[in-house]
Amino acid sequence: MEQISLTGVACVLGAMTLRCVIGTDPFPYASADVFTTGTPALAITPKWSFVIDAFMLLASAAMLCVQIVQKRGPAWWQCGVLGLAGTVLLAHINPRATDGMDNAVLGVQWLSNFIASVAMMGVLRENARARGLVIATLTAIAIATSLRGAYQVFVEHAQTMATFNANKQSYFAAQGWSPDSPMALAFTRRISQAEATGWIGMANVAATLFAACGVLLAGLGVHAWKARTSRDAAPGWMVGSVIGGCIACVVGVVLAGAKGGYAALALGIAVLIVMMLAERREKLAGLVPRGAGFIAPAVIAMVLLAVVVRGLVGERLGELSIWFRSMYLEAAIRIAGQHPLTGTGPAGFKDAYLLAKTPLSPEE
């Protein structure tokens, strides 16, 4: 039974790794003439997205079957949430609708991830080897993504800027912009930003992954240093790999340049320091396990509160990033009021946002 569960975890992690290190292309070959360009698709297309989702669902079903046989299946509320989410997502997958395929690609992907999360939760709670697989996979993805980000910043972005600067006037003319127009200035500022996004495509998401795994590797490095004189001391090459991976992740945070990444890194280091202090003080050691379960909900609540406060301040501050996020939140509340039961569907949010967003929001 344990081998079946471990195999299921490995299959889900393998599918997750594919999605993290390969880009997606919802419209394969749409950007090139297939009669003149023989380049194969190098991204995950809708067909392969369904294949990966089916693979994850089969692996999740195997893990859930083992848990049911061992009478330790998911909690009733988890099954209820999964059933509700599945019903809502499937309701939007209408073959006759114009966005039916887009809803299917995203909806089935979301649902397979939800089910895999619940299935893996039961395994990870009981199996230390499975937790080790998850930690190893996440850190490997983070390190590979940080290396990819370094290539983006130091090679790809430099080449992009060289090409753009050599053909700037012709590019603006093709878009119908004058060189000193707000559109041209905004585009120039945006393309001049060198960001490490890896295959994810969003600097904030990549930076958060780098920060989380950087702190994780830092904790493993501290533990290995403390155990260096014991019988169970890790070999030198392993300690060096952990330290090198930690440095790569921290460099990834810097190259991504996202505020969220820096905040996540600072928070993670603070938690790591508290845990190290708890090992020496008995009173603190008793509080850490009880408070650990509140850290993630508290952080989420604090972030949302900060976004709300920034939105109330408005134009009185020069900061724009968090202010724009308050606009996202405001528009999302309007959309939820207009679609309170089933929402817009995975593919319908962008069109709904264009109608619900505040006029001050420059982003679509």
Side-chain angles (χ1 to χ4, degrees):
M1 289 295 184
E2 181 184 5
Q3 294 301 321
I4 295 177
S5 297
L6 287 175
T7 302
V9 171
C11 291
V12 171
L13 293 175
M16 182 187 73
T17 302
L18 283 178
R19 289 200 180 277
C20 289
V21 301
I22 301 178
T24 59
D25 188 358
F27 303 105
Y29 305 110
S31 58
D33 186 350
V34 296
F35 296 103
T36 59
T37 305
T39 305
L42 300 177
I44 297 176
T45 61
K47 178 185 74 173
W48 287 107
S49 180
F50 284 126
V51 170
I52 293 174
D53 294 333
F55 186 70
M56 289 182 65
L57 288 171
L58 289 173
S60 303
M63 288 186 283
L64 289 172
C65 287
V66 170
Q67 295 174 40
I68 292 173
V69 169
Q70 295 179 344
K71 297 181 179 180
R72 54 179 182 86
W76 64 268
W77 63 269
Q78 291 176 328
C79 297
V81 171
L82 272 181
L84 180 61
T87 301
V88 171
L89 288 172
L90 292 175
H92 287 285
I93 303 176
N94 182 2
R96 298 180 180 179
T98 56
D99 59 353
M101 177 57 69
D102 294 334
N103 278 323
V105 173
L106 287 173
V108 174
Q109 180 180 336
W110 290 0
L111 189 59
S112 65
N113 285 319
F114 295 159
I115 296 175
S117 298
V118 172
M120 288 182 63
M121 197 181 302
V123 179
L124 299 179
R125 189 179 295 115
E126 305 290 337
N127 196 309
R129 295 175 63 188
R131 293 195 292 271
L133 282 175
V134 172
I135 292 173
T137 303
L138 288 176
T139 52
I141 291 174
I143 293 172
T145 307
S146 67
L147 296 176
R148 165 68 178 156
Y151 182 81
Q152 287 177 308
V153 171
F154 296 113
V155 179
E156 291 184 353
H157 184 261
Q159 295 176 348
T160 300
M161 288 305 300
T163 303
F164 174 72
N165 290 328
N167 303 278
K168 185 182 300 185
Q169 301 301 328
S170 59
Y171 184 87
F172 290 156
Q175 302 297 320
W177 300 338
S178 61
D180 56 348
S181 66
M183 291 79 71
L185 295 176
F187 181 82
T188 302
R189 183 175 64 254
R190 188 70 184 89
I191 200 175
S192 300
Q193 295 177 356
E195 298 177 338
T197 62
W199 298 274
I200 298 174
M202 296 181 68
N204 271 310
V205 180
T208 305
L209 174 65
F210 299 150
C213 291
V215 173
L216 173 62
L217 290 172
L220 292 176
V222 171
H223 179 74
W225 174 259
K226 289 183 177 180
R228 66 188 184 281
T229 58
S230 65
R231 292 183 180 179
D232 300 327
W237 65 267
M238 187 178 295
V239 177
S241 299
V242 169
I243 295 175
C246 180
I247 294 173
C249 289
V250 173
V251 170
V253 174
V254 175
L255 294 179
K259 299 183 185 72
Y262 288 116
L265 183 61
L267 178 64
I269 293 174
V271 172
L272 183 60
I273 292 174
V274 171
M275 295 181 67
M276 291 171 60
L277 293 175
E279 294 180 354
R280 300 182 179 182
R281 301 184 181 182
E282 295 183 0
K283 293 183 179 180
L284 192 57
L287 294 176
V288 169
R290 285 179 289 178
F294 294 96
I295 292 178
V299 170
I300 294 172
M302 289 170 58
V303 170
L304 291 176
L305 180 61
V307 171
V308 171
V309 172
R310 178 65 187 90
L312 294 175
V313 173
E315 299 181 71
R316 284 173 284 180
L317 291 179
E319 190 277 335
L320 297 178
S321 181
I322 301 178
W323 187 30
F324 290 163
R325 280 156 179 75
S326 70
M327 296 177 183
Y328 305 160
L329 186 60
E330 181 181 347
I333 293 173
R334 291 198 188 101
I335 295 171
Q338 296 167 359
H339 307 274
L341 296 179
T342 59
T344 64
F349 181 80
K350 181 176 180 179
D351 291 339
Y353 180 79
L354 291 175
L355 296 175
K357 76 183 186 73
T358 174
L360 293 176
S361 176
E363 299 179 332
E364 301 177 355

